[in-house]
Amino acid sequence: MNTDTGYQPQMFIGYDKREAKAYDVCEFSLKQRSDIEINKLYSEDIEGYNRDWGEPQSTDFTFTRFWVPHLSGYKGWSFFVDCDFLFQADPLELLEDLDPSKAVYVVKHPGYIPNSQIKMDGIPQHRAFRKNWASFILFNNEHPKNSRLSPEYLNNHRPGLDFHQLRWLDEDDIGSLPLEWNCLDDYYHLENPKAIHYTDGGPWFDDYQNTFYSDLWIKEQKDMLA
């Protein structure tokens, strides 16, 4: 389909002060491979963001990701990605063959058992329906179902887990992206992943210096600092 609606695609990268190094490398990896416009998604920068129901939030962007259609003016297509990603290809290539009937596209990970009970900097792991589907989302901002994601709904709908399980949508509204675009480090061993997700923790933490794809992240950081 033709995605030229007059609104250029954007990338929103979730930001958390505790993972600033991860954010910087994720952003750098994108800039090296794509001309997409990049936005730092940080709760303090979102006018009207006021979600505080005492829910578990492992990062600052636990719920801000679902503000992307609103922040995009409900126009065009926009990506969200967790900051613990490393891009090896240009995500704009995903726009070449999209179905406008889909409200979002995600990698539909099969259910899996986490490698450990604790990830990153002491954050508990959770087993959940559609775990990690919302870590990389391509939003069809103009889809009627995404108009539900208004500031009032985003701030007040409970439980928050409904967002991560994409429950404002029906099954047919959710398009599928290839696994290579959300390759979970130490879970998937792909020869040429296009986006690596250090979901349990990456080399910016001391305990994750020797994971399956850690060498690629370390090399990217060296290139960035050089």
PDB file of all heavy atoms in Angstrom, residues 198-225:
ATOM      1  N   TYR A 198      17.206  -6.713  24.088  1.00  0.00           N
ATOM      2  CA  TYR A 198      17.900  -7.225  25.282  1.00  0.00           C
ATOM      3  C   TYR A 198      16.912  -7.206  26.451  1.00  0.00           C
ATOM      4  O   TYR A 198      17.054  -6.441  27.409  1.00  0.00           O
ATOM      5  CB  TYR A 198      19.139  -6.371  25.559  1.00  0.00           C
ATOM      6  CG  TYR A 198      20.134  -6.418  24.426  1.00  0.00           C
ATOM      7  CD1 TYR A 198      20.046  -5.535  23.351  1.00  0.00           C
ATOM      8  CD2 TYR A 198      21.153  -7.371  24.405  1.00  0.00           C
ATOM      9  CE1 TYR A 198      20.946  -5.590  22.295  1.00  0.00           C
ATOM     10  CE2 TYR A 198      22.062  -7.435  23.355  1.00  0.00           C
ATOM     11  CZ  TYR A 198      21.955  -6.549  22.306  1.00  0.00           C
ATOM     12  OH  TYR A 198      22.845  -6.611  21.254  1.00  0.00           O
ATOM     13  N   THR A 199      15.923  -8.069  26.358  1.00  0.00           N
ATOM     14  CA  THR A 199      14.759  -7.994  27.239  1.00  0.00           C
ATOM     15  C   THR A 199      15.085  -8.280  28.700  1.00  0.00           C
ATOM     16  O   THR A 199      14.489  -7.681  29.599  1.00  0.00           O
ATOM     17  CB  THR A 199      13.646  -8.925  26.734  1.00  0.00           C
ATOM     18  OG1 THR A 199      12.521  -8.846  27.597  1.00  0.00           O
ATOM     19  CG2 THR A 199      14.126 -10.384  26.669  1.00  0.00           C
ATOM     20  N   ASP A 200      16.000  -9.196  28.981  1.00  0.00           N
ATOM     21  CA  ASP A 200      16.355  -9.489  30.375  1.00  0.00           C
ATOM     22  C   ASP A 200      17.364  -8.493  30.928  1.00  0.00           C
ATOM     23  O   ASP A 200      17.449  -8.281  32.136  1.00  0.00           O
ATOM     24  CB  ASP A 200      16.932 -10.904  30.499  1.00  0.00           C
ATOM     25  CG  ASP A 200      15.880 -11.981  30.328  1.00  0.00           C
ATOM     26  OD1 ASP A 200      14.678 -11.652  30.349  1.00  0.00           O
ATOM     27  OD2 ASP A 200      16.264 -13.155  30.178  1.00  0.00           O
ATOM     28  N   GLY A 201      18.138  -7.879  30.032  1.00  0.00           N
ATOM     29  CA  GLY A 201      19.184  -6.937  30.416  1.00  0.00           C
ATOM     30  C   GLY A 201      20.289  -6.967  29.378  1.00  0.00           C
ATOM     31  O   GLY A 201      20.533  -8.004  28.763  1.00  0.00           O
ATOM     32  N   GLY A 202      20.933  -5.833  29.165  1.00  0.00           N
ATOM     33  CA  GLY A 202      21.975  -5.750  28.154  1.00  0.00           C
ATOM     34  C   GLY A 202      23.324  -5.402  28.744  1.00  0.00           C
ATOM     35  O   GLY A 202      23.465  -5.253  29.973  1.00  0.00           O
ATOM     36  N   PRO A 203      24.329  -5.237  27.888  1.00  0.00           N
ATOM     37  CA  PRO A 203      25.697  -5.005  28.360  1.00  0.00           C
ATOM     38  C   PRO A 203      25.914  -3.706  29.135  1.00  0.00           C
ATOM     39  O   PRO A 203      27.002  -3.495  29.660  1.00  0.00           O
ATOM     40  CB  PRO A 203      26.507  -5.006  27.056  1.00  0.00           C
ATOM     41  CG  PRO A 203      25.700  -5.807  26.102  1.00  0.00           C
ATOM     42  CD  PRO A 203      24.277  -5.484  26.440  1.00  0.00           C
ATOM     43  N   TRP A 204      24.904  -2.855  29.200  1.00  0.00           N
ATOM     44  CA  TRP A 204      25.036  -1.672  30.066  1.00  0.00           C
ATOM     45  C   TRP A 204      24.893  -2.054  31.535  1.00  0.00           C
ATOM     46  O   TRP A 204      25.118  -1.228  32.410  1.00  0.00           O
ATOM     47  CB  TRP A 204      24.013  -0.603  29.681  1.00  0.00           C
ATOM     48  CG  TRP A 204      22.587  -1.058  29.675  1.00  0.00           C
ATOM     49  CD1 TRP A 204      21.663  -0.906  30.667  1.00  0.00           C
ATOM     50  CD2 TRP A 204      21.907  -1.724  28.599  1.00  0.00           C
ATOM     51  NE1 TRP A 204      20.462  -1.449  30.294  1.00  0.00           N
ATOM     52  CE2 TRP A 204      20.580  -1.946  29.028  1.00  0.00           C
ATOM     53  CE3 TRP A 204      22.288  -2.148  27.320  1.00  0.00           C
ATOM     54  CZ2 TRP A 204      19.637  -2.589  28.218  1.00  0.00           C
ATOM     55  CZ3 TRP A 204      21.349  -2.783  26.529  1.00  0.00           C
ATOM     56  CH2 TRP A 204      20.051  -3.002  26.968  1.00  0.00           C
ATOM     57  N   PHE A 205      24.552  -3.315  31.808  1.00  0.00           N
ATOM     58  CA  PHE A 205      24.563  -3.876  33.155  1.00  0.00           C
ATOM     59  C   PHE A 205      25.693  -4.894  33.257  1.00  0.00           C
ATOM     60  O   PHE A 205      25.955  -5.652  32.314  1.00  0.00           O
ATOM     61  CB  PHE A 205      23.235  -4.573  33.484  1.00  0.00           C
ATOM     62  CG  PHE A 205      22.055  -3.645  33.574  1.00  0.00           C
ATOM     63  CD1 PHE A 205      20.979  -3.787  32.716  1.00  0.00           C
ATOM     64  CD2 PHE A 205      22.012  -2.645  34.534  1.00  0.00           C
ATOM     65  CE1 PHE A 205      19.884  -2.942  32.802  1.00  0.00           C
ATOM     66  CE2 PHE A 205      20.918  -1.797  34.624  1.00  0.00           C
ATOM     67  CZ  PHE A 205      19.855  -1.945  33.754  1.00  0.00           C
ATOM     68  N   ASP A 206      26.357  -4.931  34.402  1.00  0.00           N
ATOM     69  CA  ASP A 206      27.526  -5.805  34.581  1.00  0.00           C
ATOM     70  C   ASP A 206      27.209  -7.282  34.383  1.00  0.00           C
ATOM     71  O   ASP A 206      28.051  -8.044  33.910  1.00  0.00           O
ATOM     72  CB  ASP A 206      28.126  -5.596  35.979  1.00  0.00           C
ATOM     73  CG  ASP A 206      28.769  -4.229  36.149  1.00  0.00           C
ATOM     74  OD1 ASP A 206      29.103  -3.614  35.114  1.00  0.00           O
ATOM     75  OD2 ASP A 206      28.938  -3.794  37.301  1.00  0.00           O
ATOM     76  N   ASP A 207      26.000  -7.693  34.725  1.00  0.00           N
ATOM     77  CA  ASP A 207      25.656  -9.118  34.667  1.00  0.00           C
ATOM     78  C   ASP A 207      25.265  -9.591  33.277  1.00  0.00           C
ATOM     79  O   ASP A 207      24.949 -10.773  33.091  1.00  0.00           O
ATOM     80  CB  ASP A 207      24.514  -9.426  35.640  1.00  0.00           C
ATOM     81  CG  ASP A 207      24.938  -9.277  37.095  1.00  0.00           C
ATOM     82  OD1 ASP A 207      26.152  -9.311  37.364  1.00  0.00           O
ATOM     83  OD2 ASP A 207      24.041  -9.132  37.952  1.00  0.00           O
ATOM     84  N   TYR A 208      25.278  -8.693  32.295  1.00  0.00           N
ATOM     85  CA  TYR A 208      24.824  -9.064  30.953  1.00  0.00           C
ATOM     86  C   TYR A 208      25.880  -8.727  29.895  1.00  0.00           C
ATOM     87  O   TYR A 208      25.559  -8.283  28.797  1.00  0.00           O
ATOM     88  CB  TYR A 208      23.499  -8.366  30.633  1.00  0.00           C
ATOM     89  CG  TYR A 208      22.367  -8.836  31.519  1.00  0.00           C
ATOM     90  CD1 TYR A 208      22.096  -8.188  32.722  1.00  0.00           C
ATOM     91  CD2 TYR A 208      21.605  -9.949  31.177  1.00  0.00           C
ATOM     92  CE1 TYR A 208      21.081  -8.623  33.558  1.00  0.00           C
ATOM     93  CE2 TYR A 208      20.587 -10.393  32.007  1.00  0.00           C
ATOM     94  CZ  TYR A 208      20.323  -9.723  33.194  1.00  0.00           C
ATOM     95  OH  TYR A 208      19.317 -10.162  34.015  1.00  0.00           O
ATOM     96  N   GLN A 209      27.126  -8.971  30.236  1.00  0.00           N
ATOM     97  CA  GLN A 209      28.233  -8.686  29.324  1.00  0.00           C
ATOM     98  C   GLN A 209      28.488  -9.827  28.339  1.00  0.00           C
ATOM     99  O   GLN A 209      29.202  -9.636  27.355  1.00  0.00           O
ATOM    100  CB  GLN A 209      29.512  -8.429  30.127  1.00  0.00           C
ATOM    101  CG  GLN A 209      29.466  -7.208  31.031  1.00  0.00           C
ATOM    102  CD  GLN A 209      29.567  -5.900  30.259  1.00  0.00           C
ATOM    103  OE1 GLN A 209      30.379  -5.784  29.355  1.00  0.00           O
ATOM    104  NE2 GLN A 209      28.749  -4.927  30.610  1.00  0.00           N
ATOM    105  N   ASN A 210      27.921 -10.993  28.607  1.00  0.00           N
ATOM    106  CA  ASN A 210      28.242 -12.164  27.779  1.00  0.00           C
ATOM    107  C   ASN A 210      26.979 -12.900  27.350  1.00  0.00           C
ATOM    108  O   ASN A 210      26.874 -14.116  27.496  1.00  0.00           O
ATOM    109  CB  ASN A 210      29.162 -13.116  28.557  1.00  0.00           C
ATOM    110  CG  ASN A 210      30.522 -12.502  28.830  1.00  0.00           C
ATOM    111  OD1 ASN A 210      31.300 -12.237  27.913  1.00  0.00           O
ATOM    112  ND2 ASN A 210      30.813 -12.259  30.103  1.00  0.00           N
ATOM    113  N   THR A 211      26.043 -12.172  26.789  1.00  0.00           N
ATOM    114  CA  THR A 211      24.840 -12.781  26.241  1.00  0.00           C
ATOM    115  C   THR A 211      25.070 -13.115  24.770  1.00  0.00           C
ATOM    116  O   THR A 211      26.125 -12.814  24.201  1.00  0.00           O
ATOM    117  CB  THR A 211      23.639 -11.837  26.381  1.00  0.00           C
ATOM    118  OG1 THR A 211      23.893 -10.650  25.603  1.00  0.00           O
ATOM    119  CG2 THR A 211      23.422 -11.448  27.839  1.00  0.00           C
ATOM    120  N   PHE A 212      24.092 -13.742  24.143  1.00  0.00           N
ATOM    121  CA  PHE A 212      24.276 -14.208  22.760  1.00  0.00           C
ATOM    122  C   PHE A 212      24.601 -13.061  21.798  1.00  0.00           C
ATOM    123  O   PHE A 212      25.434 -13.206  20.910  1.00  0.00           O
ATOM    124  CB  PHE A 212      23.021 -14.955  22.296  1.00  0.00           C
ATOM    125  CG  PHE A 212      23.221 -15.709  21.010  1.00  0.00           C
ATOM    126  CD1 PHE A 212      23.887 -16.921  21.002  1.00  0.00           C
ATOM    127  CD2 PHE A 212      22.750 -15.206  19.806  1.00  0.00           C
ATOM    128  CE1 PHE A 212      24.087 -17.626  19.813  1.00  0.00           C
ATOM    129  CE2 PHE A 212      22.939 -15.894  18.619  1.00  0.00           C
ATOM    130  CZ  PHE A 212      23.612 -17.110  18.619  1.00  0.00           C
ATOM    131  N   TYR A 213      23.947 -11.921  21.999  1.00  0.00           N
ATOM    132  CA  TYR A 213      24.166 -10.781  21.093  1.00  0.00           C
ATOM    133  C   TYR A 213      24.864  -9.602  21.773  1.00  0.00           C
ATOM    134  O   TYR A 213      24.853  -8.484  21.252  1.00  0.00           O
ATOM    135  CB  TYR A 213      22.819 -10.295  20.520  1.00  0.00           C
ATOM    136  CG  TYR A 213      22.143 -11.266  19.591  1.00  0.00           C
ATOM    137  CD1 TYR A 213      20.981 -11.921  19.981  1.00  0.00           C
ATOM    138  CD2 TYR A 213      22.649 -11.520  18.325  1.00  0.00           C
ATOM    139  CE1 TYR A 213      20.329 -12.810  19.128  1.00  0.00           C
ATOM    140  CE2 TYR A 213      22.009 -12.406  17.463  1.00  0.00           C
ATOM    141  CZ  TYR A 213      20.853 -13.048  17.866  1.00  0.00           C
ATOM    142  OH  TYR A 213      20.225 -13.921  17.015  1.00  0.00           O
ATOM    143  N   SER A 214      25.476  -9.815  22.913  1.00  0.00           N
ATOM    144  CA  SER A 214      26.103  -8.702  23.631  1.00  0.00           C
ATOM    145  C   SER A 214      27.232  -8.065  22.825  1.00  0.00           C
ATOM    146  O   SER A 214      27.449  -6.850  22.900  1.00  0.00           O
ATOM    147  CB  SER A 214      26.627  -9.167  24.993  1.00  0.00           C
ATOM    148  OG  SER A 214      27.575 -10.212  24.852  1.00  0.00           O
ATOM    149  N   ASP A 215      27.952  -8.870  22.035  1.00  0.00           N
ATOM    150  CA  ASP A 215      29.081  -8.328  21.273  1.00  0.00           C
ATOM    151  C   ASP A 215      28.632  -7.268  20.277  1.00  0.00           C
ATOM    152  O   ASP A 215      29.352  -6.284  20.036  1.00  0.00           O
ATOM    153  CB  ASP A 215      29.839  -9.455  20.567  1.00  0.00           C
ATOM    154  CG  ASP A 215      28.958 -10.248  19.612  1.00  0.00           C
ATOM    155  OD1 ASP A 215      27.755 -10.424  19.914  1.00  0.00           O
ATOM    156  OD2 ASP A 215      29.470 -10.686  18.562  1.00  0.00           O
ATOM    157  N   LEU A 216      27.444  -7.433  19.708  1.00  0.00           N
ATOM    158  CA  LEU A 216      26.943  -6.452  18.734  1.00  0.00           C
ATOM    159  C   LEU A 216      26.624  -5.126  19.416  1.00  0.00           C
ATOM    160  O   LEU A 216      26.902  -4.054  18.874  1.00  0.00           O
ATOM    161  CB  LEU A 216      25.705  -6.997  18.025  1.00  0.00           C
ATOM    162  CG  LEU A 216      25.935  -8.212  17.127  1.00  0.00           C
ATOM    163  CD1 LEU A 216      24.612  -8.692  16.537  1.00  0.00           C
ATOM    164  CD2 LEU A 216      26.921  -7.879  16.007  1.00  0.00           C
ATOM    165  N   TRP A 217      26.040  -5.187  20.609  1.00  0.00           N
ATOM    166  CA  TRP A 217      25.730  -3.951  21.336  1.00  0.00           C
ATOM    167  C   TRP A 217      27.017  -3.247  21.755  1.00  0.00           C
ATOM    168  O   TRP A 217      27.135  -2.022  21.616  1.00  0.00           O
ATOM    169  CB  TRP A 217      24.879  -4.254  22.569  1.00  0.00           C
ATOM    170  CG  TRP A 217      24.292  -3.029  23.207  1.00  0.00           C
ATOM    171  CD1 TRP A 217      23.064  -2.494  22.968  1.00  0.00           C
ATOM    172  CD2 TRP A 217      24.924  -2.176  24.173  1.00  0.00           C
ATOM    173  NE1 TRP A 217      22.885  -1.360  23.735  1.00  0.00           N
ATOM    174  CE2 TRP A 217      24.009  -1.145  24.485  1.00  0.00           C
ATOM    175  CE3 TRP A 217      26.168  -2.187  24.806  1.00  0.00           C
ATOM    176  CZ2 TRP A 217      24.297  -0.124  25.397  1.00  0.00           C
ATOM    177  CZ3 TRP A 217      26.461  -1.176  25.712  1.00  0.00           C
ATOM    178  CH2 TRP A 217      25.540  -0.156  26.005  1.00  0.00           C
ATOM    179  N   ILE A 218      27.991  -4.006  22.250  1.00  0.00           N
ATOM    180  CA  ILE A 218      29.263  -3.429  22.693  1.00  0.00           C
ATOM    181  C   ILE A 218      29.982  -2.766  21.529  1.00  0.00           C
ATOM    182  O   ILE A 218      30.530  -1.659  21.656  1.00  0.00           O
ATOM    183  CB  ILE A 218      30.134  -4.512  23.352  1.00  0.00           C
ATOM    184  CG1 ILE A 218      29.503  -4.947  24.690  1.00  0.00           C
ATOM    185  CG2 ILE A 218      31.556  -4.011  23.573  1.00  0.00           C
ATOM    186  CD1 ILE A 218      30.123  -6.189  25.279  1.00  0.00           C
ATOM    187  N   LYS A 219      29.950  -3.415  20.362  1.00  0.00           N
ATOM    188  CA  LYS A 219      30.569  -2.827  19.173  1.00  0.00           C
ATOM    189  C   LYS A 219      29.864  -1.537  18.772  1.00  0.00           C
ATOM    190  O   LYS A 219      30.516  -0.536  18.423  1.00  0.00           O
ATOM    191  CB  LYS A 219      30.536  -3.807  18.008  1.00  0.00           C
ATOM    192  CG  LYS A 219      31.158  -3.255  16.722  1.00  0.00           C
ATOM    193  CD  LYS A 219      31.058  -4.230  15.581  1.00  0.00           C
ATOM    194  CE  LYS A 219      31.744  -3.686  14.329  1.00  0.00           C
ATOM    195  NZ  LYS A 219      31.149  -2.384  13.886  1.00  0.00           N
ATOM    196  N   GLU A 220      28.538  -1.527  18.844  1.00  0.00           N
ATOM    197  CA  GLU A 220      27.783  -0.326  18.474  1.00  0.00           C
ATOM    198  C   GLU A 220      28.113   0.826  19.417  1.00  0.00           C
ATOM    199  O   GLU A 220      28.273   1.972  18.980  1.00  0.00           O
ATOM    200  CB  GLU A 220      26.290  -0.624  18.509  1.00  0.00           C
ATOM    201  CG  GLU A 220      25.429   0.401  17.796  1.00  0.00           C
ATOM    202  CD  GLU A 220      25.409   0.204  16.291  1.00  0.00           C
ATOM    203  OE1 GLU A 220      25.724  -0.910  15.816  1.00  0.00           O
ATOM    204  OE2 GLU A 220      25.042   1.172  15.575  1.00  0.00           O
ATOM    205  N   GLN A 221      28.235   0.532  20.701  1.00  0.00           N
ATOM    206  CA  GLN A 221      28.577   1.584  21.653  1.00  0.00           C
ATOM    207  C   GLN A 221      29.979   2.134  21.373  1.00  0.00           C
ATOM    208  O   GLN A 221      30.197   3.348  21.432  1.00  0.00           O
ATOM    209  CB  GLN A 221      28.493   1.066  23.079  1.00  0.00           C
ATOM    210  CG  GLN A 221      28.721   2.177  24.113  1.00  0.00           C
ATOM    211  CD  GLN A 221      28.839   1.660  25.521  1.00  0.00           C
ATOM    212  OE1 GLN A 221      29.563   0.693  25.769  1.00  0.00           O
ATOM    213  NE2 GLN A 221      28.157   2.285  26.462  1.00  0.00           N
ATOM    214  N   LYS A 222      30.906   1.255  21.039  1.00  0.00           N
ATOM    215  CA  LYS A 222      32.264   1.709  20.702  1.00  0.00           C
ATOM    216  C   LYS A 222      32.256   2.611  19.473  1.00  0.00           C
ATOM    217  O   LYS A 222      32.935   3.632  19.437  1.00  0.00           O
ATOM    218  CB  LYS A 222      33.180   0.509  20.494  1.00  0.00           C
ATOM    219  CG  LYS A 222      33.536  -0.229  21.775  1.00  0.00           C
ATOM    220  CD  LYS A 222      34.453  -1.416  21.481  1.00  0.00           C
ATOM    221  CE  LYS A 222      34.849  -2.130  22.772  1.00  0.00           C
ATOM    222  NZ  LYS A 222      35.704  -3.335  22.512  1.00  0.00           N
ATOM    223  N   ASP A 223      31.465   2.240  18.473  1.00  0.00           N
ATOM    224  CA  ASP A 223      31.354   3.065  17.272  1.00  0.00           C
ATOM    225  C   ASP A 223      30.749   4.429  17.624  1.00  0.00           C
ATOM    226  O   ASP A 223      31.184   5.466  17.099  1.00  0.00           O
ATOM    227  CB  ASP A 223      30.478   2.373  16.219  1.00  0.00           C
ATOM    228  CG  ASP A 223      31.145   1.143  15.624  1.00  0.00           C
ATOM    229  OD1 ASP A 223      32.369   0.991  15.794  1.00  0.00           O
ATOM    230  OD2 ASP A 223      30.436   0.337  14.995  1.00  0.00           O
ATOM    231  N   MET A 224      29.779   4.435  18.497  1.00  0.00           N
ATOM    232  CA  MET A 224      29.124   5.685  18.903  1.00  0.00           C
ATOM    233  C   MET A 224      30.121   6.593  19.635  1.00  0.00           C
ATOM    234  O   MET A 224      30.202   7.801  19.350  1.00  0.00           O
ATOM    235  CB  MET A 224      27.935   5.372  19.798  1.00  0.00           C
ATOM    236  CG  MET A 224      27.191   6.607  20.302  1.00  0.00           C
ATOM    237  SD  MET A 224      25.869   6.192  21.485  1.00  0.00           S
ATOM    238  CE  MET A 224      26.854   5.745  22.935  1.00  0.00           C
ATOM    239  N   LEU A 225      30.875   6.018  20.557  1.00  0.00           N
ATOM    240  CA  LEU A 225      31.812   6.823  21.345  1.00  0.00           C
ATOM    241  C   LEU A 225      32.992   7.306  20.525  1.00  0.00           C
ATOM    242  O   LEU A 225      33.613   8.325  20.856  1.00  0.00           O
ATOM    243  CB  LEU A 225      32.286   6.003  22.552  1.00  0.00           C
ATOM    244  CG  LEU A 225      31.193   5.637  23.563  1.00  0.00           C
ATOM    245  CD1 LEU A 225      31.771   4.742  24.654  1.00  0.00           C
ATOM    246  CD2 LEU A 225      30.566   6.887  24.166  1.00  0.00           C
TER     247      LEU A 225
END
